[in-house]
Amino acid sequence: MDALIETRDLTRHYPSGEGVVAALEGVNVSMRPGEFVAAMGPSGSGKSTFLNLIGCLDQPTRGSYRLAGEEVGTLSPERLAALRGEKIGFVFQSFHLLPRSDALSNVMMPMLYRGIPPKIRRERAEMALERVGLASRMHHTPSQLSGGQQQRVAIARALVCGPELLLADEPTGALDSRTGLEIMALFQALNRSGVSILCVTHDPDVAAFAGRTLRFRDGRLFEDETHPPVDAAAMIGVPFA
């Protein structure tokens, strides 16, 4: 099976005063389609830089990164933006929802930029919200939703264009522990349905829900461990299809 993500000597340096900061140094990673992988490490470990590079939000100083077989480092800014829109869905800690728009409009938003007709945009957004368990709340604005529901809207928005990779940046960081468990159970259900997920976290309890953990320290990948994932749904006694 071809790799979804493949990096070779992936390196990112930033200028700092008279020298450079090695935010990421020589990272070699291969991730197959359908994997659920956690990238873990403390602040300054390199995990956020790794996320930015994998998400096509930045380009490496050195090395190679191939996403779904396409070499990212040689792409123009226009093609990079197009690849990001085609292949990747993003979920952030702080949701980034439009406060005056309802859940349905928030989920429809990414499709506006892709020229998808209004009727199809609405149908796909409704299906995405149903998929994350919010069919009955699609006409509520963010202020009318709980934090967990807002994150579900953000997940539906990330999924609506059918990306090959879901990138989650500290997705439970703004949530209480039970709601965080519910979101991780949802991620696991999505992964079982075939969605590839890379989740960046500093929390080992969150990383335990993935089937593989990449541990970063001082800009380097020092451990790549495969392990049986903890079942989040079982911890809260809630079935997730």
Side-chain angles (χ1 to χ4, degrees), residues 69-90:
E70 190 162 0
E71 178 57 57
V72 171
T74 61
L75 300 181
S76 67
E78 294 77 16
R79 178 55 193 150
L80 201 62
L83 183 68
R84 188 165 57 242
E86 293 165 5
K87 304 291 186 182
I88 302 173
F90 293 90

Side-chain angles (χ1 to χ4, degrees), residues 99-220:
R100 296 182 181 178
S101 298
D102 64 14
L104 185 65
S105 297
N106 269 283
V107 175
M108 289 171 63
M109 183 180 63
M111 293 181 284
L112 286 171
Y113 306 112
R114 302 187 66 178
I116 296 172
K119 182 180 178 182
I120 296 176
R121 289 203 304 265
R122 185 182 183 92
E123 289 173 352
R124 291 182 181 178
E126 289 175 348
M127 289 175 61
L129 285 164
E130 184 175 357
R131 191 176 185 184
V132 301
L134 283 183
S136 65
R137 308 286 284 179
M138 64 177 63
H139 297 299
H140 291 68
T141 62
S143 65
Q144 297 171 316
L145 299 172
S146 68
Q149 289 170 336
Q150 290 183 61
Q151 189 61 292
R152 286 173 181 267
V153 174
I155 293 168
R157 182 184 59 193
L159 292 170
V160 76
C161 290
E164 294 188 36
L165 175 65
L166 190 64
L167 288 182
D169 187 7
E170 301 283 4
T172 64
L175 305 174
D176 64 76
S177 58
R178 180 183 172 83
T179 305
L181 277 174
E182 292 172 353
I183 292 300
M184 296 313 297
L186 174 58
F187 277 136
Q188 289 182 326
L190 292 170
N191 180 243
R192 288 193 296 271
S193 74
V195 178
S196 304
I197 301 173
L198 176 61
C199 177
V200 171
T201 182
H202 70 280
D203 187 345
D205 291 337
V206 171
F209 297 116
R212 177 181 172 195
T213 300
L214 309 175
R215 290 185 173 83
F216 290 84
R217 180 191 297 155
D218 299 329
R220 295 182 179 274

Side-chain angles (χ1 to χ4, degrees), residues 216-236:
F216 290 84
R217 180 191 297 155
D218 299 329
R220 295 182 179 274
L221 177 64
F222 75 92
E223 188 174 35
D224 182 348
E225 177 193 13
T226 301
H227 52 84
V230 174
D231 187 342
M235 292 181 67
I236 53 177

